[in-house]
Amino acid sequence: MLKLNRRIAALKPSATMAAETRATELKAAGVDVISLAAGEPDFDTPERIKDAARRALANGQTKYTPVAGTRDLKEAIRLKLKRDSGLDYEIAEIMASAGGKQAEANIIAALFDEGDEVIIPTPAWVSFVAMVNLSGAAAKLVECPEDRGFVLDPERLARAITPRTRGIILNSPSNPTGAVYSPGKLSELAKILLEAGLWILSDDVYEHIVYDGPVPHIFRIEPRLQARGFALNSLSKAYAMTGWRIGFAAGPKEVIAAAARLQGQNSGNPNSITQAAAIEALSGPQDEIKTMMAEFRRRRELVVERVRKLPGFKLPNVPSGAFYVFPNITELIGASLGDQTITDGNSFAELLLAEEHVALVGGNDFGAPHHVRMSYATSMENLNAAFDRIGKLVARLKR
Ligand code: GLU
């Protein structure tokens, strides 16, 4: 039998990527699929950013750059962190990577080892557990109950910390729940984290997609955490640049240097044209984010209303950030259509795609098997049509 590396053999495909790929394949085969699967803005990358890429191409910026990004890009990231979060970093504390995912994975690989535990509050984005396991460390899942707004409870956090715990991954606004941590909650958690001396990985990818106003960064709320933490981010969502693959990490320079060594050995610099475009994205006028937010707000209203009208779907919390809803479908577990029975979020997603051609992501790999994730980063027209179809499927189920 073929023998793979033990950790790679245990690696599952990314559930978000797999759901979107399946939808794309079906569309290519002529099926009229509506996708609420990918966490990907449907807006086009702003023209000013594309122009910067065209200029870089025309100027011949097509060669290797320093592995962790050009000095100009790191300077743009440094200024962005100051402008948007009030955080001070030096250039040597910044690394650009081919996507937020690569930055995050390299920091995790640089920091953690076999025997270590890393706390992941769940529901959590599907790739966190995989990245931690690849480092050799164990992911310690700490459930954030729905009736507490999917927010980590300080007492649960304190209970989960053992002598082996070395880090935690925080993600506010959260993918998949849309939960946003309040300054009060962040400060309670910060106290525990400071005392425990953990590494804090703050995934800030959805920082701009907040509906009740901005929340200070946890490193602003407790500045002593910055020396033990990483601000992790991507340009994918804020600037509609998913395909460009650009993200970054900022944190203590010894770890950044180690993560950059890893990047230098297994991939190299992020795309040179993308880096030029990213400088424009971060440094130019930031108005597109406001336009995008106005549209997300309208869509959120529609989606919350439509989900709450679906029999068997519960959505107690209106998400305050990101562009996902994460309804609970416990009431549909055990319902069936022909010989197909719904056993969890994943089986509901499969049935929905097969019967009504709507793609979404089952909650299983987010650590919440009685939920499904729907992205509303698509047009109102698509959203309305998708909910009509979901309604049709639910009406056909035998309960
Ligand atoms: N973060 C997005 C999502 O959850 C993009 C896909 C991915 O990288 O997982 O859908």
Side-chain angles (χ1 to χ4, degrees), residues 103-372:
E104 231 153 87
N106 286 351
I107 294 291
I108 289 171
L111 274 178
F112 305 122
D113 224 323
E114 278 172 15
D116 294 341
E117 288 172 1
V118 179
I119 293 179
I120 301 177
T122 62
W125 178 50
V126 296
S127 294
F128 291 150
V129 171
M131 288 175 184
V132 167
N133 288 340
L134 279 174
S135 79
K140 177 133 183 186
L141 307 184
V142 181
E143 196 198 335
C144 306
E146 187 165 30
D147 61 7
R148 304 243 176 147
F150 289 125
V151 163
L152 178 61
D153 179 51
E155 276 159 34
R156 281 182 189 239
L157 169 62
R159 274 204 306 275
I161 297 173
T162 74
R164 293 179 159 219
T165 312
R166 297 221 30 248
I168 182 168
I169 304 179
L170 292 175
N171 174 217
S172 172
S174 152
N175 172 7
T177 67
V180 176
Y181 284 66
S182 69
K185 193 56 77 187
L186 287 175
S187 126
E188 284 177 64
L189 296 174
K191 231 163 106 193
I192 299 168
L193 295 173
L194 191 65
E195 201 168 300
L198 303 188
W199 286 107
I200 293 109
L201 277 60
S202 177
D203 177 326
D204 307 326
V205 166
Y206 297 92
E207 64 179 336
H208 294 299
I209 308 174
V210 283
Y211 302 99
D212 306 320
V215 177
H217 199 280
I218 188 164
F219 302 157
R220 280 292 284 177
I221 289 182
E222 177 40 89
R224 284 174 292 176
L225 285 183
Q226 194 179 332
R228 294 205 53 89
F230 294 85
L232 301 157
N233 218 324
S234 148
L235 278 73
S236 287
K237 322 287 168 172
Y239 304 100
M241 290 179 74
T242 44
W244 297 70
R245 306 315 299 143
I246 189 82
F248 58 88
K253 54 173 176 276
E254 295 77 8
V255 186
I256 291 287
R261 287 201 298 277
L262 172 60
Q263 188 160 296
Q265 293 287 15
N266 72 9
S267 63
N269 61 267
N271 178 300
S272 58
I273 312 290
T274 295
Q275 289 190 59
I279 295 171
E280 170 58 34
L282 295 171
S283 321
Q286 302 291 299
D287 312 319
E288 302 104 358
I289 294 173
K290 281 190 214 112
T291 317
M292 216 157 73
M293 271 309 291
E295 188 56 29
F296 281 143
R297 191 180 290 279
R298 282 190 334 125
R299 294 175 186 179
R300 180 183 68 146
E301 223 167 277
L302 170 82
V303 164
V304 168
E305 189 191 316
R306 299 256 356 215
V307 171
R308 285 182 167 168
K309 282 192 186 139
L310 284 174
F313 280 66
K314 292 270 177 294
L315 186 69
N317 311 298
V318 175
S320 341
F323 41 63
Y324 307 108
V325 285
F326 199 58
N328 186 322
I329 59 157
T330 303
E331 282 181 22
L332 297 181
I333 308 293
S336 57
L337 185 71
D339 60 357
Q340 308 267 52
T341 301
I342 296 168
T343 52
D344 52 20
N346 282 8
S347 57
F348 178 83
E350 271 165 38
L351 190 64
L352 179 65
L353 185 60
E355 293 293 322
E356 295 292 343
H357 308 146
V358 175
L360 38 78
V361 190
N364 298 48
D365 286 10
F366 296 98
H370 284 190
H371 289 256
V372 292

Side-chain angles (χ1 to χ4, degrees), residues 18-38:
E20 191 51 31
T21 303
R22 181 95 187 95
T24 308
E25 280 168 2
L26 283 174
K27 274 185 210 166
V31 182
D32 165 31
V33 175
I34 304 176
S35 179
L36 312 184

Side-chain angles (χ1 to χ4, degrees), residues 27-93:
K27 274 185 210 166
V31 182
D32 165 31
V33 175
I34 304 176
S35 179
L36 312 184
E40 170 167 73
D42 55 322
F43 312 112
D44 197 7
T45 306
E47 216 46 47
R48 66 179 177 94
I49 300 173
K50 290 188 186 172
D51 280 342
R54 287 183 195 107
R55 279 196 304 274
L57 199 52
N59 295 338
Q61 290 184 41
T62 54
K63 309 285 191 217
Y64 290 132
T65 76
V67 166
T70 61
R71 189 170 175 98
D72 288 350
L73 174 57
K74 288 198 231 177
E75 176 62 8
I77 294 169
R78 191 182 72 74
L79 293 172
K80 174 257 178 293
L81 287 162
K82 181 71 181 165
R83 177 192 67 208
D84 294 350
S85 312
L87 297 173
D88 288 305
Y89 284 100
E90 293 169 23
I91 291 284
E93 295 177 311

